[in-house]
Amino acid sequence: YASKWRCEFGEAWEYLTSTLARWEELEGRISKALAKEESTAADYALLSSLLDELLSSDVVNEVAATALADRLHFITSQSTSRYDESYSRDKEELAVRVKKALAKREVTEDDFPYLKKLLDEVRTESSDDAKREWQRAISDKLECITRQSVAGQDTCGKCYSRAASHKCLPCSHVSICEECVAKQLSSQEVDEMKKMSMHIVKPDDTPIECPYCQQAAACISLH
């Protein structure tokens, strides 16, 4: 049968078989690493590397990703003075939680509060390349959730409980409800916004960010 399919699909068959071989090789290394009953600090680098490789690949294996993240979390939770001073337990623990959250391919509204909290934590860390990549990936998942419809409408990315009614410009995301906009304005500004169906953010005003993409809004208008 293999010869028949090879003749039928040609180069595509070769690609599929080579892809399958790469997947099986990666999953084999993961299984071998997880076969160890109890992992220690010495295993952290290998497990972290395998999780990074899995998440960056096109292999969809949430079970393996979750198992690796859980094992990494166990190691960091058991960490003691065995680590040298340059080792930051808190940062490693955050990295594990981020990777575990990103390993979940399908996200729902139930995941929003945790992902939002995680994003806030990442933003407080140093803005190196890894942290910026985490911010982008978590923001993508949050946007995916907030763009899911509630009663046929987009969800407010600020409170995630009411329908989004206002558009942020220049990003053009319909991402925030009137109540959440109003909380960031004075009573006079709220009255003006309701009258004009829009609010212009002046240069000296407190910045208002789009909840979807975190871009500063120059104008917020009724959608």
Side-chain angles (χ1 to χ4, degrees):
Y1 285 104
S3 297
K4 176 184 177 182
W5 290 117
R6 185 177 291 108
C7 293
E8 182 76 20
F9 292 100
E11 291 183 3
W13 174 259
E14 297 299 329
Y15 170 77
L16 291 172
T17 54
S18 64
T19 299
L20 177 61
R22 284 189 291 106
W23 288 4
E24 290 178 337
E25 190 275 334
L26 173 57
E27 290 179 329
R29 285 188 285 124
I30 292 172
S31 296
K32 183 178 179 180
L34 293 175
K36 191 174 181 180
E37 289 188 8
E38 186 173 326
S39 299
T40 66
D43 302 304
Y44 188 95
L46 172 61
L47 293 170
S48 182
S49 174
L50 286 171
L51 181 55
D52 287 339
E53 187 176 349
L54 178 60
L55 293 178
S56 63
S57 72
D58 48 4
V59 180
V60 179
N61 192 330
E62 279 192 34
V63 173
T66 300
L68 285 169
D70 286 343
R71 192 68 64 91
L72 288 167
H73 178 71
F74 172 79
I75 294 173
T76 55
S77 67
Q78 298 297 311
S79 63
T80 64
S81 58
R82 291 175 297 173
Y83 295 91
D84 60 36
E85 293 180 359
S86 65
Y87 181 87
S88 170
R89 173 179 170 177
D90 289 341
K91 289 184 179 180
E92 292 294 349
E93 195 271 338
L94 175 59
V96 171
R97 288 191 288 119
V98 169
K99 290 175 182 179
K100 184 173 182 179
L102 296 179
K104 188 174 182 181
R105 300 299 177 115
E106 297 295 329
V107 288
T108 67
E109 289 182 24
D110 292 337
D111 299 303
F112 192 100
Y114 178 71
L115 289 171
K116 187 71 169 64
K117 180 175 179 293
L118 201 58
L119 180 59
D120 291 340
E121 287 186 60
V122 171
R123 283 176 176 162
T124 63
E125 295 293 330
S126 58
S127 57
D128 56 27
D129 290 341
K131 299 298 189 304
R132 283 191 288 271
E133 180 61 24
W134 290 349
Q135 288 186 41
R136 184 199 61 75
I138 297 172
S139 294
D140 285 349
K141 285 192 177 293
L142 287 170
E143 182 172 352
C144 177
I145 295 171
T146 52
R147 292 193 70 83
Q148 292 174 0
S149 60
V150 173
Q153 293 179 294
D154 289 330
T155 310
C156 173
K158 195 78 172 175
C159 65
Y160 55 90
S161 62
R162 291 182 288 265
S165 57
H166 285 63
K167 177 190 293 186
C168 295
L169 297 170
C171 68
S172 297
H173 289 140
V174 181
S175 58
I176 192 166
C177 67
E178 182 176 301
E179 290 86 344
C180 286
V181 176
K183 288 178 181 178
Q184 304 177 72
L185 306 177
S186 67
S187 57
Q188 182 180 346
E189 289 173 329
V190 172
D191 291 339
E192 290 176 353
M193 180 181 70
K194 290 180 178 179
K195 186 183 300 183
M196 300 175 62
S197 297
M198 64 184 301
H199 170 70
I200 304 295
V201 182
K202 302 178 183 66
D204 55 345
D205 287 348
T206 301
I208 298 177
E209 291 185 346
C210 169
Y212 284 6
C213 65
Q214 286 73 54
Q215 182 176 351
C219 175
I220 298 177
S221 65
L222 180 65
H223 180 59

